[in-house]
Amino acid sequence: MTRTEAESADTPTRVAVSTVIFGLRHLPGSDATCVVLPLVRRTRDPHEGQWALPGGWLGERENLEVAASRTLAETTALAPSYLEQLYAFGDVDRSPTRVVSIVYWALVREDEMSSSQEGAQENVAWFTATELPELAFDHRLIVDYALWRLRNKVGYSRIAHGLLADEFTLAELREVYEAILGRRLDPANFRRQVENSGTLIPTDRFRTGSHRPARLYRYNQDVELAERGPLEVR
Amino acid sequence: MTRTEAESADTPTRVAVSTVIFGLRHLPGSDATCVVLPLVRRTRDPHEGQWALPGGWLGERENLEVAASRTLAETTALAPSYLEQLYAFGDVDRSPTRVVSIVYWALVREDEMSSSQEGAQENVAWFTATELPELAFDHRLIVDYALWRLRNKVGYSRIAHGLLADEFTLAELREVYEAILGRRLDPANFRRQVENSGTLIPTDRFRTGSHRPARLYRYNQDVELAERGPLEVR
DNA sequence: CCAAAAGTGTTTGCGGTACACCCATGA
DNA sequence: TCATGGGTGTACCGCAAACACTTTTGG
């Protein structure tokens, strides 16, 4: 096929946008925290009844990121604290009819999550990332890849803040890292690493618990180590 | 908008696939090597006459990666030694009519390049990455992002091998790194780093030049540090 | 023998890990 | 006062940078 022929073979394709939305949940019994994500039960023919990622068709005059935000609002009623494109999936056989899916992944803050989960819509449920049901289409592959990206990115950027409220203790921040990475971190070393990174601003307030109060920190907006895509390239 | 309405709003979109193809070129005069990429002169209305990334419309029954390979073959007549999805660009205003572009980036080997550049097609030319002309659409942003990804990835994966022949000296490999990173590297430290990485297999052959012969190495296929996307996630 | 590139050895400093230790608070 | 988590000090290890040095070839 020559370039000219390719240029004229202008066949429209159905384009969908889906989003892998990550949040945190404290397990009531133990002191552990785990990564959770919302899934939508399908009410239509391909894979009807199975759980799938929240998503929808790309609007005619809708930017990709806007479509992802819409998805997020429809299932969590929240504004994302972090939103980044994950990958474009377009294999011919990934759906009975050809669909190209632009997939985003997002973080929602823990303090806001509880409110939205109470007023949950029908057919939406939150699952622990390590205990997922069978998913529709290739969505299991997509979630696994998003989890890989989350775990990777937490190591070289500061996205963990996207899962916390404005003010937080170092222990709470460490909890986020431990939940994402799935392993315990040394509190002493964690403190120094994150202090030296210059991304935290200590406040004068303290979280008073059952023991010695812990200083509250805020995220330093000036520092933006996260790389979300070509749009941020200066 | 509810999910149900979104699900029924099934409006097809025009989907294109473009590829940023990177190669290397030795500058005849100096001993420097630089990154080069092929561009195609547009012969059609939007941005006619300007240079643009090689690409075309996604075929109805064509996987995304296959479409990218086709693009690559049409402009270089080569099989890519490395091919990875870069990003999906879909802003409404990036083209007069709405187009979602799935962009890939690729590496072609230096030893194969010369042959294809001689039999170059009309309207295709290779440019030094640091001296690009004005590009059509948002292709300048795309190329800059691909360059950022290339420079980033060379630091934590072994994609530099994708720009060399099967057998190469450490100096040749170092040249690739220096061309991509744009700075000189210490030969001694470079040797140790790459030797300790376990990605190289020494051969018994030597490259005999004007001075002491240098050992030739091969790339260890077993080690695959590169991460090309969700398809490689086990 | 000389120039130049291949290849080796050694020192230094930095960042991460392990772990001992002190501090402040509620009960 | 004790238990518990907050917070500090310190020794160690591995890696990478800097750079002096030896080796091997062509001319």
Side-chain angles (χ1 to χ4, degrees):
Chain A
M1 185 188 282
T2 71
R3 270 204 88 257
T4 311
E5 282 166 350
E7 182 117 13
S8 60
D10 176 1
T11 312
T13 309
R14 297 200 304 167
V15 176
V17 174
S18 298
T19 305
V20 184
I21 303 163
F22 290 120
L24 287 186
R25 185 198 287 157
H26 291 285
L27 294 183
S30 74
D31 58 347
T33 302
C34 63
V35 178
V36 294
L37 55 94
L39 296 173
V40 180
R41 192 188 287 280
R42 287 191 59 81
T43 59
R44 277 188 165 56
D45 186 13
H47 300 274
E48 177 173 347
Q50 280 195 319
W51 294 98
L53 289 172
W57 300 111
L58 175 64
E60 256 178 288
R61 306 199 179 286
E62 188 179 42
N63 281 0
L64 299 177
E65 193 165 330
V66 171
S69 292
R70 173 169 59 79
T71 285
L72 202 135
E74 283 165 12
T75 80
T76 69
L78 292 175
S81 58
Y82 185 83
L83 181 63
E84 178 191 320
Q85 190 179 304
L86 179 68
Y87 201 78
F89 295 83
D91 274 8
V92 174
D93 60 358
R94 64 184 290 272
S95 168
T97 61
R98 209 294 220 235
V99 175
V100 170
S101 284
I102 317 292
V103 179
Y104 280 73
W105 67 286
L107 302 180
V108 292
R109 308 206 116 95
E110 196 172 12
D111 56 328
E112 303 174 316
M113 266 184 57
S114 54
S115 58
S116 83
Q117 288 192 46
E118 289 161 11
Q121 293 91 330
E122 288 280 336
N123 293 324
V124 176
W126 290 73
F127 293 85
T128 303
T130 53
E131 299 166 7
L132 293 178
E134 195 181 349
L135 300 191
F137 305 108
D138 52 359
H139 288 191
R140 180 54 192 264
L141 175 76
I142 295 177
V143 170
D144 285 343
Y145 182 49
L147 273 167
W148 178 86
R149 186 101 138 230
L150 172 64
R151 293 195 182 109
N152 227 39
K153 199 136 192 171
V154 86
Y156 65 87
S157 77
R158 299 298 152 219
I159 50 166
H161 301 276
L163 290 163
L164 288 173
D166 275 357
E167 296 194 336
F168 48 85
T169 67
L170 291 182
E172 288 164 353
L173 182 61
R174 179 165 47 83
E175 253 188 297
V176 175
Y177 277 81
E178 290 178 344
I180 293 174
L181 297 176
R183 60 187 170 91
R184 312 297 279 182
L185 300 174
D186 185 305
N189 296 329
F190 180 81
R191 160 181 301 275
R192 264 181 300 253
Q193 277 175 253
V194 80
E195 272 176 348
N196 293 343
S197 75
T199 55
L200 290 192
I201 301 173
T203 71
D204 295 336
R205 309 202 331 115
F206 288 82
R207 172 98 67 225
T208 165
S210 53
H211 298 294
R212 173 173 172 176
R215 184 180 293 279
L216 289 172
Y217 289 80
R218 283 191 301 107
Y219 178 49
N220 184 353
Q221 306 287 1
D222 298 345
V223 189
E224 194 53 70
L225 293 169
E227 181 60 44
R228 288 158 71 170
L231 306 175
E232 297 201 358
V233 177
R234 288 179 305 277
Chain B
M1 185 190 280
T2 69
R3 270 205 87 256
T4 311
E5 282 166 351
E7 182 116 15
S8 60
D10 177 0
T11 312
T13 310
R14 295 199 305 166
V15 176
V17 174
S18 299
T19 305
V20 185
I21 303 164
F22 290 120
L24 286 187
R25 186 198 287 157
H26 291 286
L27 295 183
S30 74
D31 57 347
T33 303
C34 63
V35 178
V36 294
L37 55 94
L39 296 174
V40 181
R41 193 188 287 280
R42 286 191 59 81
T43 59
R44 278 191 167 52
D45 186 13
H47 301 273
E48 177 172 348
Q50 280 194 319
W51 294 98
L53 289 172
W57 300 111
L58 176 64
E60 257 179 286
R61 306 201 178 286
E62 187 179 43
N63 282 359
L64 299 178
E65 194 165 330
V66 171
S69 292
R70 173 170 57 81
T71 284
L72 202 136
E74 283 165 12
T75 80
T76 69
L78 291 175
S81 59
Y82 185 83
L83 182 62
E84 177 190 322
Q85 191 179 303
L86 180 68
Y87 201 77
F89 295 84
D91 274 8
V92 174
D93 60 358
R94 63 184 290 272
S95 169
T97 61
R98 203 310 210 227
V99 175
V100 170
S101 284
I102 317 292
V103 180
Y104 280 74
W105 68 286
L107 302 181
V108 292
R109 308 205 116 96
E110 196 172 12
D111 56 328
E112 302 175 316
M113 265 184 58
S114 55
S115 57
S116 84
Q117 287 191 45
E118 290 160 10
Q121 293 91 333
E122 289 280 337
N123 294 322
V124 175
W126 290 72
F127 292 86
T128 303
T130 54
E131 300 165 7
L132 293 178
E134 194 181 351
L135 301 191
F137 306 108
D138 52 359
H139 287 192
R140 179 56 191 263
L141 175 75
I142 295 177
V143 170
D144 284 343
Y145 183 48
L147 272 167
W148 177 88
R149 185 100 137 229
L150 172 64
R151 294 194 182 109
N152 226 39
K153 199 137 194 171
V154 85
Y156 66 87
S157 77
R158 298 300 152 219
I159 49 165
H161 300 277
L163 290 164
L164 287 173
D166 275 357
E167 296 195 338
F168 48 86
T169 67
L170 290 183
E172 288 164 353
L173 181 60
R174 179 165 47 83
E175 252 188 296
V176 175
Y177 277 81
E178 290 177 344
I180 293 174
L181 297 175
R183 61 188 170 90
R184 311 297 277 182
L185 299 173
D186 184 303
N189 295 329
F190 181 81
R191 162 181 300 273
R192 263 182 301 254
Q193 277 174 250
V194 81
E195 270 176 349
N196 294 342
S197 75
T199 56
L200 290 192
I201 301 173
T203 71
D204 294 337
R205 308 201 333 113
F206 288 82
R207 172 98 69 225
T208 164
S210 54
H211 298 294
R212 173 173 174 176
R215 184 180 292 279
L216 289 171
Y217 289 80
R218 282 190 303 106
Y219 177 50
N220 184 353
Q221 306 286 1
D222 298 346
V223 188
E224 193 53 71
L225 294 168
E227 180 61 42
R228 289 158 71 169
L231 305 174
E232 297 204 356
V233 177
R234 287 178 309 275

